[in-house]
Amino acid sequence: MHWTSTHARDPTASLSGQWEFATDPADVGEREEWYDEDAVWPDARDVTVPHSWQEADDLREYTGVGWYRRTVDVDDAVREADRVLLRFGAVDYEATVWVNGERVGKHTGGYLPFAVDATDAIEDGENTVVLRVFDPEDITEIPHGKQGAPWYTCVSGPWQDVDLLTLPETHVASLRVTPDLSDDSATVDVDVAGGEADHVHVTVSDDAGEPVVSTSASLAGESASLEVAIPDADYWTPDDPVLYEVEARLSSDGEVVDVHTDTFGMRSVSHEDGDLYLNGEPFTMRGALDQAFYPDTYYRPADLDTFEDEIRTAKELGFNLLRKHIKPAHPEFLELADRLGILVWEEPANPTVYSERSKREVREQFEAMVARDYNRPSVVAWSLYNEEWGIGHHEDEEPLWTDVEKQDYLESFYEDARALDPTRLVCDNSGWAHVATDLNDYHEYFVAPDRVDAWREKLEHVTANPEENYGDVRTDPDVPLLVSEFGTWGFPDLSRLDAHYGGDPHWFAHDFLEGMKRPEGVRERFAESPAADVFDSIEAFAEAWQRREFDSLEPIIADMREHDGVAGYVLTELTDIEWEFNGVLDYVREEKAFHEEFARLNGPVMLHLSPSEHARAPGERLAADAVVVNDTAERYEAMLEWSAFGETGHVEVSVPPHDHVRLEDAVDVAVPASAADGTETVTLSDGERTAARDVAVFDSDPADVSVFVEDGGLGDTLADHGYTVVDTPGDADVTVVAAVDATLREFVEHGGHVVVLPDADGEMAAVEGVDYTALPEEESWNLCAGVLFQELLPELEAVPGWAFADLYPYAYVSSLDADDEVPVGYVEGWVENAGGAVVSRSLGEGRLDVCTLRVTDSYGENAVARAVVDRLLGAA
């Protein structure tokens, strides 16, 4: 096939800028000849291209037909050119083009460039260009990524640049460079359109413009393949993104007829024995998901300089890769990725359903993406599908896991992709069932420390059993194992959104958003929630929640970086997107509260503290391992200094390149007998970077009450810690039970104080008048979007982080009464599903305390568990 490279040529004239635009809801425009240069369009308005019509408030939900029109003056040089093309960077979804009333071309597909030949329609002087765009309401069969329900704002129209391009009749149709680092050479493949050339001359120049090598070849028909040696080649890496320029010069009978240039990098990517290699050297993927949505303009930033800011920020945060998620990257972004140095994992937009049409359109899109981006050294991996979107994810379809026909199709697609581009890694179906793949990747949404033990069990399991991630194993399962999606949410600073939008963003009220995903009314829900009793403002709540985001990411990233079975990770995600606030940056690309700490965690060298316990009592010893990960090509050597409870110590470390070391009990210190209740920050520093971890300290403080305890084991433990434990509820100041029936409720109403605790496994029994909502005990995207906050122990942070390690609940009280006190509360997403992990309720003359925190089995060993129970038993 001919791969057109017109997208890589400089335009003759830009057609971006002001256009006339009109909607055509009844689709009468073609019948009424709106493409005629003198046609009058009803209700037309001026817009600026690049443009998507959803940028207008009144068109945000509009689907169907839109028309664009502008005039362009053409000079003699253009008119006399052999070929005059109109080039569109991307138009979503179906585009038809007229020039001076003459139809010149049509294209289907919303993400990649196309050009139409307007040579015969162009006239001297003023010309009228008309573009009809059709974007259907039903997009299930067409590649659309995350447009619309249940995700983000839709995009319709010419959302990338439009320009005019002139070409000679005989011209370079494609120019592809395939590096070979085994002998520092490159293969330059040149395809020619027009058929008049007989010779091609290729020159490769360095980044200073100095020629490195030249060679010539006769054309064999319409193509030539030339091998060029590049002596002492400089390899492209993120740290040293060296680019070469390649020029192809066509000639016919000794006369030059066309010159075409592009850039490329000497770069290879490969895998062996489960490890990734860049230019033959080991590398660990430290990536972020980049969905590339923007506040006002959706698929492109309003200012393309934003791309450079994003790449520089990502690198400062320690990322070496961005996974451009579920739609092809903007070409301007990829050019900057090449020049600034960041790796890119790219993938096509996926449809919803599996059909002959959807399969065809995904393949066409993939082939066009490869053609456009073949020479971009930053791009090191392709995906074909994401999470079976368009190949089995739909609820009415059989999943890829069990559908042999789909598995056969996907294996064939993988093989074709590898043949089309053997220079990059191919992932068949990111995150879910694999069939044939170069990357065995998982999407795992665990929140830590709430579910850190479950996360670690899962990590050990998947690394020991990689074949279980395959619906059917068609390639070696011992390929690099990646966690290519994981993450936790961190609520945005609403004042920044207010400042950007001048009020609530339109996406607060998307019709398809509901429950925890719907931002509309969030301030009112906050004011009515238990969070308003703990935080002075919603801004303070946001900052605390953002710090909890880092607390969750830290151990998960550290675990993966230390694990020999994990070749890398991709964090969800670089930025918040509309309602989904799990970015390292917020939606307007500003920093979150943990920005500088994250760079330490995610950088080429990582220091990490791993305490054996996160809650200690005065007089107990605190031990913590030091973990050092070195992703660089140089040995890391340092004298580390730790600090805790006013004491310091030193430990020497030496870590080979691309390796890691765990220093067991690098920190070992006694908690002073005089230590006050609260938190102590333990630090570990090499002088350049500092790791820190808070440890909770609480002295045992039994309440001066007698207790009856239904659970004999807990009763014995309470007695060991100084409580008076009695045999009957009537003789006790406080009764501790797991369940409350009508009789016990009546006991409370007559003045009793009852504390309800979970059983030893953290499960809640029935309590009359109290409803629970279960929280998943393992992976949960929703749980990652929830947050626990507290004022029960004011000595701790309001969002307790690691202080509550081993105590996080498996359920919360979701039936709150207006007069309930909620010393430990819970919300999800945009402050929905409010409830409590500790709820205190007055019943008649008595008091009922319900605690879902898993304190029952940990009271004897965990200082925070003791503090929680002591406060509840001592409450009046």
Side-chain angles (χ1 to χ4, degrees):
M1 63 177 291
H2 270 307
W3 285 351
T4 177
S5 63
T6 57
H7 63 272
R9 292 178 180 255
D10 291 335
T12 304
S14 173
L15 299 187
S16 296
Q18 190 174 76
W19 289 58
E20 191 178 4
F21 170 75
T23 59
D24 184 9
D27 194 13
V28 299
E30 284 194 88
R31 185 170 66 252
E32 297 179 358
E33 300 182 348
W34 286 18
Y35 47 80
D36 188 88
E37 57 261 44
D38 297 321
V40 177
W41 293 358
D43 301 320
R45 67 184 81 180
D46 289 337
V47 298
T48 300
V49 171
H51 175 263
S52 65
W53 64 61
Q54 287 82 1
E55 295 171 30
D57 292 344
D58 61 321
L59 299 178
R60 204 144 280 137
E61 306 301 326
Y62 176 71
T63 57
V65 178
W67 291 77
Y68 293 81
R69 177 170 62 189
R70 69 158 291 165
T71 59
V72 56
D73 286 329
V74 172
D75 59 23
D76 291 343
V78 171
R79 185 66 191 89
E80 293 171 3
D82 293 336
R83 294 286 101 191
V84 181
L85 306 182
L86 296 178
R87 181 173 59 182
F88 297 82
V91 179
D92 197 335
Y93 157 71
E94 181 182 277
T96 310
V97 185
W98 290 262
V99 174
N100 299 324
E102 180 180 339
R103 177 169 158 165
V104 294
K106 184 174 183 178
H107 179 266
T108 297
Y111 296 90
L112 291 159
F114 65 95
V116 295
D117 193 330
T119 306
D120 295 336
I122 287 286
E123 302 173 352
D124 292 332
E126 187 174 87
N127 292 259
T128 300
V129 178
V130 174
L131 170 68
R132 176 187 182 270
V133 179
F134 172 60
D135 204 9
E137 180 178 1
D138 182 359
I139 58 176
T140 55
E141 280 194 283
I142 67 176
H144 62 272
K146 283 192 170 181
Q147 294 188 57
W151 297 101
Y152 317 127
T153 304
C154 287
V155 174
S156 306
W159 62 273
Q160 288 187 29
D161 282 329
V162 182
D163 54 47
L164 184 147
L165 180 69
T166 57
L167 289 172
E169 186 67 33
T170 301
H171 58 270
V172 175
S174 72
L175 176 61
R176 303 185 305 281
V177 184
T178 306
D180 185 348
L181 272 58
S182 68
D183 60 0
D184 283 356
S185 68
T187 300
V188 182
D189 290 306
V190 182
D191 289 342
V192 178
E196 296 298 326
D198 54 33
H199 205 75
V200 59
H201 185 81
V202 167
T203 301
V204 174
S205 301
D206 63 20
D207 57 358
E210 295 296 323
V212 173
V213 63
S214 295
T215 189
S216 299
S218 297
L219 282 167
E222 296 182 340
S223 64
S225 184
L226 300 88
E227 300 287 335
V228 294
I230 303 178
D232 300 318
D234 290 321
Y235 296 162
W236 187 99
T237 69
D239 293 332
D240 190 18
V242 177
L243 293 175
Y244 290 90
E245 183 177 85
V246 58
E247 177 190 85
R249 187 177 295 265
L250 296 182
S251 60
S252 178
D253 296 329
E255 181 180 347
V256 174
V257 295
D258 187 34
V259 178
H260 181 44
T261 63
D262 200 355
T263 57
F264 72 97
M266 294 294 289
R267 188 270 302 134
S268 69
V269 61
S270 59
H271 66 84
E272 185 177 351
D273 297 330
D275 294 321
L276 290 167
Y277 291 85
L278 187 69
N279 303 333
E281 297 294 326
F283 94 96
T284 299
M285 185 183 295
R286 303 190 309 275
L289 201 70
D290 182 3
Q291 301 197 57
F293 266 81
Y294 298 89
D296 305 300
T297 47
Y298 314 127
Y299 269 5
R300 73 186 196 285
D303 182 351
L304 292 185
D305 288 344
T306 300
F307 285 145
E308 180 170 350
D309 295 339
E310 288 176 327
I311 292 170
R312 292 192 184 280
T313 299
K315 294 188 69 168
E316 290 167 2
L317 288 168
F319 294 113
N320 58 21
L321 176 140
L322 293 174
R323 178 181 165 213
K324 303 298 283 191
H325 186 39
I326 212 158
K327 61 181 172 64
H330 195 292
E332 297 281 352
F333 174 90
L334 292 179
E335 289 187 17
L336 284 166
D338 282 357
R339 296 187 184 282
L340 299 176
I342 197 161
L343 303 171
V344 176
W345 177 348
E346 199 174 1
E347 56 198 26
N350 287 169
T352 303
V353 300
Y354 181 75
S355 67
E356 291 304 314
R357 177 185 179 183
S358 73
K359 288 190 294 182
R360 182 185 71 252
E361 294 204 17
V362 169
R363 276 181 169 259
E364 290 172 349
Q365 180 194 185
F366 178 78
E367 291 170 2
M369 179 174 66
V370 172
R372 186 193 69 174
D373 301 334
Y374 189 87
N375 291 341
R376 304 282 68 80
S378 56
V379 180
V380 294
W382 308 113
S383 291
L384 306 180
Y385 287 93
N386 173 75
E387 293 183 351
E388 298 183 28
W389 294 18
I391 194 172
H393 190 193
H394 194 266
E395 58 187 8
D396 295 330
E397 296 178 350
E398 185 174 354
L400 179 64
W401 286 102
T402 55
D403 192 320
V404 175
E405 189 275 329
K406 289 176 182 172
Q407 293 169 0
D408 291 343
Y409 158 73
L410 188 57
E411 180 186 23
S412 174
F413 193 178
Y414 164 81
E415 290 173 349
D416 290 347
R418 292 288 294 153
L420 189 65
D421 181 8
T423 71
R424 293 178 173 90
L425 306 174
V426 176
C427 178
D428 58 347
N429 176 41
S430 181
W432 286 15
H434 294 293
V435 177
T437 186
D438 299 322
L439 299 170
N440 181 13
D441 68 329
Y442 297 73
H443 296 174
E444 301 289 348
Y445 286 96
F446 286 86
V447 63
D450 313 32
R451 302 295 183 259
V452 72
D453 290 339
W455 149 250
R456 287 170 177 163
E457 290 173 7
K458 182 64 176 286
L459 184 62
E460 291 303 323
H461 182 82
V462 300
T463 52
N465 303 279
E467 72 285 350
E468 291 183 3
N469 206 33
Y470 287 71
D472 188 46
V473 181
R474 309 283 180 96
T475 56
D476 183 359
D478 189 23
V479 298
L481 187 151
L482 307 166
V483 179
S484 61
E485 286 190 29
F486 71 99
T488 311
W489 294 35
F491 197 78
D493 184 336
L494 296 183
S495 65
R496 294 178 180 174
L497 295 176
D498 287 344
H500 181 87
Y501 287 98
D504 284 353
H506 74 272
W507 44 264
F508 267 34
H510 273 318
D511 289 343
F512 52 76
L513 297 179
E514 59 185 17
M516 59 166 280
K517 297 180 180 180
R518 188 173 182 84
E520 185 179 43
V522 64
R523 294 173 184 82
E524 292 77 13
R525 288 193 297 277
F526 171 79
E528 296 170 359
S529 77
D533 296 326
V534 177
F535 299 94
D536 294 335
S537 66
I538 199 168
E539 288 76 21
F541 177 53
E543 181 176 355
W545 196 338
Q546 289 174 20
R547 294 201 172 277
R548 181 268 194 161
E549 182 179 357
F550 177 78
D551 283 346
S552 181
L553 296 177
E554 182 182 29
I556 292 174
I557 290 176
D559 288 347
M560 290 187 289
R561 295 193 69 175
E562 189 184 5
H563 202 296
D564 290 330
V566 179
Y569 54 84
V570 179
L571 167 66
T572 307
E573 55 195 314
L574 183 63
T575 73
D576 293 350
I577 299 177
E578 295 194 348
W579 56 269
E580 193 175 19
F581 52 82
N582 50 8
V584 180
L585 305 174
D586 66 20
Y587 195 30
V588 293
R589 274 58 181 175
E590 294 192 32
E591 298 175 2
K592 288 191 175 179
F594 55 84
H595 193 83
E596 293 186 8
E597 295 168 274
F598 187 83
R600 182 267 305 167
L601 171 68
N602 194 50
V605 173
M606 181 199 74
L607 301 187
H608 177 64
L609 273 168
S610 180
S612 57
E613 303 289 343
H614 291 88
R616 297 278 79 187
E620 293 181 331
R621 297 201 70 83
L622 172 67
D625 295 348
V627 179
V628 184
V629 177
N630 178 20
D631 281 348
T632 76
E634 306 294 329
R635 178 175 288 272
Y636 170 85
E637 295 182 327
M639 180 65 73
L640 305 179
E641 180 178 69
W642 60 262
S643 173
F645 298 105
E647 296 191 26
T648 61
H650 294 82
V651 59
E652 192 171 359
V653 64
S654 178
V655 188
H658 308 292
D659 206 346
H660 55 82
V661 168
R662 175 177 282 260
L663 305 173
E664 295 186 0
D665 296 340
V667 179
D668 188 357
V669 62
V671 179
S674 60
D677 291 351
T679 57
E680 172 72 14
T681 301
V682 183
T683 65
L684 180 74
S685 176
D686 65 359
E688 180 180 347
R689 52 189 69 82
T690 300
R693 179 64 66 84
D694 285 345
V695 175
V697 177
F698 277 91
D699 199 2
S700 183
D701 186 23
D704 187 17
V705 294
S706 59
V707 296
F708 168 80
V709 185
E710 186 179 60
D711 182 330
L714 176 60
D716 292 340
T717 305
L718 289 174
D720 291 341
H721 283 79
Y723 280 95
T724 301
V725 179
V726 298
D727 295 331
T728 58
D731 295 332
D733 298 314
V734 185
T735 297
V736 181
V737 297
V740 175
D741 57 15
T743 300
L744 197 53
R745 180 182 176 93
E746 184 177 357
F747 170 76
V748 176
E749 290 173 345
H750 284 82
H753 180 191
V754 171
V755 173
V756 178
L757 299 180
D759 65 20
D761 295 324
E763 303 298 328
M764 300 302 299
V767 174
E768 185 174 321
V770 174
D771 294 329
Y772 298 111
T773 294
L775 294 173
E777 298 183 18
E778 296 186 354
E779 183 195 21
S780 168
W781 190 80
N782 277 33
L783 196 58
C784 289
V787 65
L788 202 74
F789 48 88
Q790 64 88 35
E791 58 180 356
L792 179 67
L793 304 177
E795 301 89 344
L796 300 177
E797 296 289 339
V799 174
W802 281 97
F804 274 26
D806 303 322
L807 308 185
Y808 283 94
Y810 292 153
Y812 68 95
V813 177
S814 50
S815 55
L816 297 181
D817 290 348
D819 294 331
D820 285 347
E821 297 176 12
V822 187
V824 182
Y826 176 79
V827 296
E828 290 178 341
W830 291 86
V831 197
E832 271 285 358
N833 303 327
V838 175
V839 174
S840 297
R841 178 174 298 174
S842 296
L843 292 178
E845 299 176 4
R847 176 187 179 99
L848 176 68
D849 291 315
V850 179
C851 173
T852 66
L853 297 173
R854 292 181 291 131
V855 296
T856 304
D857 198 44
S858 54
Y859 180 91
E861 301 296 331
N862 187 300
V864 173
R866 288 196 295 273
V868 168
V869 174
D870 291 344
R871 302 287 168 95
L872 292 176
L873 296 181

